[in-house]
Amino acid sequence: MSTGPIKRVLAALCLAGALSTPASGDERPNILLVILDDIGFTDLGAYGSEIATPNMDALAARGAQFTNFHVAPTCAPTRAMLLTGADSHRTGIPTLEHMVIPEYQGQFGHEGELNTAVATIAEHLQASGYQAFITGKWHLGRSPTALPAARGFDRSFILDSSGADNWEHRTYLPHYTRAEWWEDFEPVLEFTHEHYSSEFLTNRLIDYIGEGDPDRPFLAVLSLQANHIPLQAPREFTERYAGRYDAGWDVLREERRRAAIALGLVPESTQLAEQPPALRDWGSLSRREREFAIASREVAAGMLEAADHHVGRLLDWLEAQGQLENTLVIVLSDNGPEYNHPTDNRAFAMWLAVQGYSRNPGNLGEQGTYAFIGPEWATASASPLSLFKFHAGEGGVRVPLIVAGPGVETLGLVSGFSFVTDIAPTLLDMAGARPLVGREPITGRSLMPVLTGQSDTVYGPDDAVGLEMSGMSALWRGDWKLARSMPPFGDEQWRLFNLATDPGEAHDLAASEPEILASMMEAYAAYEARVGVIPAPEGFNAAERIAALGWKAFLDQHGLMLAGIGLLFVMLLGGGVILVVRRQR
């Protein structure tokens, strides 16, 4: 007799709370949530990478390693959904702040910061007696009602920018006048300590936990900058990858595809989708371009290994305190790998020069340098999936998720579909906590039936899950996915894929399956209406929008300097002309 129907009934009952067995007293687990930044589907060792991530791999080996977990195409919407369990269009952060359009003005769910209609995991758990701490990237707002100190966290040291330098207190984009570091309710205007981001943020979180109440369970969030631009890492980690990437991105992309198949992450039928035509060919690079590309990839590997090292230090510290055995650990990435090649934008290149950032391959990754992998290496990080961050292709939205600790069976690979809004209800379930009354409802589903081995998935074949961010759109239902990506690497066309056989999205079935396409389009329209999506304008190009804002910010900050240089040039040119005329006379 098949157990499938029984498992689905159990899952549904657990979702409704009928089978939930809340932990109480000393049984309640601590929760450690590790958020990685811009990590691709196959960037961790357990997912087929050549990068050494032994601490996270060990968690995967003793817990659950998800192979079909999805997030938003970029950081802020993912983080909003992760911490609230609600769709991003209900949280106030449906997109990145640099991509906000005028139509959002005054509209509920589009406030530009975490609104007060939703409650965070920390707020829910705080009401159940938990203490909560967070260090690292927040990016959900810094008003008195949006900072983590106002949203259930007892202590916080956070970054409310999309990124920042990893060595110094300075911004990484002209869009910001400073790196928005905050401790509790106060801005941090300078660092008074040695600062490599992964090391410092781990140390500060250890301090917070150590200073907390030992008799109360805790939620600790370690939100690392690895691997967000600028890619930076201590030489001791970067140099371990010398020569590893000399063969180029196409070779690495194929290596990762084969590794993912060998590990069982994807079916043997998985093929690579065609690369976007704008991507560079490895053989066409100049010597200088190739040296920078190789060095940047080495830094990316070193940065991720360094992050794993510091996660390991935190786990070791918890073990030394006698707390690790009762700590539920979750590791995930906020979106797929970063594709941006910043120096393609002239304003950004000028800003880097003004800031004094170096891109010398000889010491890339160290203090004062600025590295990035660009779209070509990003496709290798996401391999065998298609596209990358900012896009609705699986490479932009399917990322690693590892869960291990008390209450979690040693499951190995988990292939059932899951979504970022599922994390919040899962943690509340594991903690035996009830959601606060009167706040925006949690729409994700608890993964507890999966983690305890009762079910393979919490979604049935007819359950639809939608996603939208600035026109980047997707809907998953059963084996099917409907997707649309906008420029610069999308064309606004709706495509249909069967992910059970084609997770690489190499074969668009929209023309051959018109009935399924129509049904999926209808379900997507219902999703938009339900959550209140405000459509992006036709032809919306996120890269162009961000670049335009970059130019404006650069001119606002350095316009007088440029005007002065221009005036000096005119004066020198004018003086030269006068001198030539006099000599001719």
Side-chain angles (χ1 to χ4, degrees):
M1 176 180 172
S2 171
T3 61
I6 296 175
K7 286 185 175 182
R8 283 194 289 273
V9 171
L10 289 171
L13 288 172
C14 192
L15 176 63
L19 291 182
S20 178
T21 54
S24 61
D26 294 338
E27 296 178 3
R28 293 184 297 173
N30 301 315
I31 299 170
L32 171 61
L33 176 58
V34 178
I35 307 173
L36 303 173
D37 205 319
D38 295 356
I39 297 302
F41 181 65
T42 51
D43 271 339
L44 301 183
Y47 285 81
S49 177
E50 71 292 341
I51 301 170
T53 55
N55 296 293
M56 289 183 269
D57 297 349
L59 292 171
R62 68 178 176 91
Q65 179 181 347
F66 287 73
T67 64
N68 199 4
F69 173 69
H70 294 80
V71 294
T74 192
C75 50
T78 289
R79 292 162 190 270
M81 292 191 285
L82 170 67
L83 292 180
T84 67
D87 186 89
S88 59
H89 299 83
R90 313 301 294 174
T91 68
I93 306 181
T95 190
L96 200 63
E97 74 265 38
H98 310 308
M99 294 154 64
V100 169
I101 56 177
E103 289 82 355
Y104 291 174
Q105 189 69 34
Q107 299 299 313
F108 172 76
H110 297 70
E111 293 87 349
E113 67 174 20
L114 196 64
N115 64 32
T116 54
V118 291
T120 68
I121 304 171
E123 290 175 277
H124 293 301
L125 291 176
Q126 188 180 59
S128 294
Y130 272 71
Q131 53 194 329
F133 317 107
I134 181 172
T135 61
K137 184 171 168 179
W138 174 249
H139 204 202
L140 299 176
R142 50 188 176 272
S143 76
T145 62
L147 281 164
R151 307 310 296 264
F153 289 93
D154 298 273
R155 295 304 314 276
S156 56
F157 194 105
I158 60 95
L159 174 67
D160 193 55
S161 309
S162 54
D165 193 283
N166 292 279
W167 293 105
E168 305 173 66
H169 191 306
R170 62 167 164 168
T171 182
Y172 81 112
L173 280 180
H175 303 67
Y176 301 108
T177 55
R178 74 178 191 90
E180 291 288 348
W181 287 102
W182 291 71
E183 185 162 29
D184 301 327
F185 282 110
E186 299 299 322
V188 178
L189 302 180
E190 62 180 349
F191 292 142
T192 56
H193 48 75
E194 293 294 323
H195 183 94
Y196 176 67
S197 62
S198 292
E199 179 178 11
F200 168 75
L201 295 172
T202 301
N203 290 344
R204 184 54 62 97
L205 188 60
I206 288 173
D207 290 343
Y208 286 161
I209 298 171
E211 294 164 1
D213 185 345
D215 297 323
R216 294 167 59 200
F218 63 76
L219 164 69
V221 180
L222 178 62
S223 185
L224 297 172
Q225 290 170 242
N227 271 11
H228 197 283
I229 289 176
L231 300 176
Q232 296 166 324
R235 179 180 286 272
E236 64 185 279
F237 292 100
T238 299
E239 64 186 8
R240 298 172 189 176
Y241 296 91
R244 178 60 182 83
Y245 301 109
D246 291 2
W249 39 65
D250 294 324
V251 171
L252 183 63
R253 189 180 185 219
E254 176 59 20
E255 285 179 358
R256 294 279 191 92
R257 183 188 76 89
R258 292 180 180 178
I261 291 173
L263 289 170
L265 308 183
V266 295
E268 292 186 8
S269 58
T270 303
Q271 298 177 9
L272 297 174
E274 289 186 13
Q275 295 278 54
L279 268 58
R280 298 171 297 170
D281 179 75
W282 182 255
S284 70
L285 300 185
S286 67
R287 180 183 61 82
R288 184 182 182 88
E289 289 172 330
R290 187 171 298 192
E291 287 177 352
F292 180 76
I294 291 170
S296 292
R297 187 72 223 192
E298 292 171 357
V299 173
M303 189 174 190
L304 182 53
E305 184 178 340
D308 179 83
H309 167 76
H310 292 294
V311 168
R313 283 199 310 113
L314 176 55
L315 297 176
D316 289 344
W317 182 83
L318 288 171
E319 186 171 29
Q321 304 303 307
Q323 302 233 49
L324 182 60
E325 186 177 351
N326 192 40
T327 299
L328 179 69
V329 185
I330 304 95
V331 178
L332 57 84
S333 177
D334 63 350
N335 45 246
E338 174 64 77
Y339 79 90
N340 271 296
H341 196 283
T343 53
D344 284 347
N345 178 268
R346 191 172 300 175
F348 194 92
M350 293 171 65
W351 181 84
L352 281 179
V354 170
Q355 296 298 311
Y357 272 117
S358 167
R359 288 181 285 132
N360 177 10
N363 68 333
L364 204 62
E366 298 175 35
Q367 187 168 341
T369 68
Y370 201 107
F372 45 86
I373 59 172
E376 297 86 3
W377 285 123
T379 62
S381 282
S383 180
L385 310 179
S386 67
L387 293 176
F388 25 65
K389 180 179 177 180
F390 281 102
H391 296 80
E394 287 290 282
V397 296
R398 189 190 295 207
V399 297
L401 168 65
I402 296 168
V403 184
V408 180
E409 295 292 319
T410 302
L411 298 173
L413 301 181
V414 176
S415 60
F417 176 87
S418 53
F419 194 63
V420 64
T421 51
D422 300 335
I423 301 298
T426 302
L427 299 186
L428 296 183
D429 238 2
M430 300 294 276
R434 301 297 182 188
L436 294 172
V437 177
R439 308 296 281 273
E440 188 74 20
I442 291 174
T443 54
R445 300 186 177 189
S446 172
L447 297 172
M448 194 168 175
V450 175
L451 297 174
T452 55
Q454 298 177 57
S455 178
D456 299 325
T457 180
V458 294
Y459 290 93
D462 297 323
D463 293 330
V465 177
L467 168 72
E468 192 277 341
M469 189 212 74
S470 295
M472 308 292 181
S473 307
L475 184 102
W476 294 268
R477 189 173 65 189
D479 294 337
W480 294 96
K481 179 188 176 185
L482 177 73
R484 174 184 65 183
S485 283
M486 305 289 279
F489 293 103
D491 58 7
E492 301 183 68
Q493 298 301 307
W494 288 100
R495 289 180 166 80
L496 181 70
F497 303 101
N498 186 326
L499 297 183
T501 57
D502 181 29
E505 297 174 311
H507 305 287
D508 178 13
L509 302 178
S512 60
E513 299 285 355
E515 292 183 3
I516 295 177
L517 176 66
S519 176
M520 296 285 282
M521 290 291 293
E522 182 179 355
Y524 178 78
Y527 158 75
E528 280 202 343
R530 184 172 66 254
V531 301
V533 171
I534 298 175
E538 185 175 344
F540 183 78
N541 187 317
E544 289 183 357
R545 174 63 180 253
I546 293 172
L549 290 175
W551 266 114
K552 181 180 183 303
F554 178 75
L555 292 175
D556 287 345
Q557 296 171 35
H558 304 292
L560 288 176
M561 179 192 72
L562 292 175
I565 293 173
L567 179 61
L568 179 61
F569 177 78
V570 170
M571 292 173 64
L572 291 173
L573 181 63
V577 169
I578 292 171
L579 183 62
V580 169
V581 170
R582 286 179 175 175
R583 285 182 176 178
Q584 288 179 342
R585 289 178 177 176

